[in-house]
Amino acid sequence: MMFAPSDRPGDPFHGNDNHSLPFLESQLSAPGPDENLKFQPLKVRVQVPPDLQWSVFYRLQELSIPCEYSSENGVGVEIEDRTTAIQLRCVLHRFIAPLSVQVNWLEHCFELEGN
């Protein structure tokens, strides 16, 4: 299973410059705060440019996220819960998102903090 790109215009994580960042929207958006909803663990292979694969793998290890790396297959990640999915999304955002998108996201965070 691979990540599907987001096509949500105006999303502060993606900006409006047609750059999208892969994420697990279907797994992260549960209908309501029902604690009985179970997260289905996933094993995924993330699509990362070859020159960034080691950096992504190393950062995931720092966060104690179960992952594997091989030069042939890239980075594989085991997503056990929603927190891990969000952490993975943040790591990918850090390494993959264009600078304009990262600036937009940071500005959005400051706007939320000011409210």
Side-chain angles (χ1 to χ4, degrees):
M1 177 175 196
M2 302 305 281
F3 287 98
S6 171
D7 57 355
R8 294 166 40 185
D11 183 337
F13 292 107
H14 299 90
N16 294 319
D17 53 5
N18 294 326
H19 292 285
S20 62
L21 183 68
F23 70 109
L24 297 169
E25 183 171 333
S26 63
Q27 290 291 326
L28 294 175
S29 58
D34 186 354
E35 293 181 16
N36 295 325
L37 292 175
K38 298 288 184 192
F39 183 89
Q40 298 298 320
L42 300 171
K43 289 187 179 182
V44 297
R45 192 131 322 264
V46 293
Q47 295 176 332
V48 182
D51 59 327
L52 296 175
Q53 289 177 354
W54 178 254
S55 298
V56 169
F57 171 70
Y58 185 75
R59 181 62 184 138
L60 293 172
Q61 283 191 319
E62 288 178 331
L63 295 170
S64 300
I65 295 174
C67 58
E68 62 185 24
Y69 171 76
S70 74
S71 57
E72 298 87 31
N73 297 321
V75 180
V77 183
E78 186 174 332
I79 303 171
E80 300 170 339
D81 54 30
R82 286 180 172 83
T83 301
T84 303
I86 292 167
Q87 287 178 312
L88 173 61
R89 192 218 176 279
C90 291
V91 168
L92 293 175
H93 186 263
R94 174 182 166 199
F95 286 102
I96 297 174
L99 181 59
S100 62
V101 173
Q102 293 185 34
V103 168
N104 185 27
W105 175 79
L106 186 58
E107 288 173 348
H108 179 74
C109 290
F110 284 125
E111 288 173 13
L112 292 175
E113 189 174 281
N115 291 332

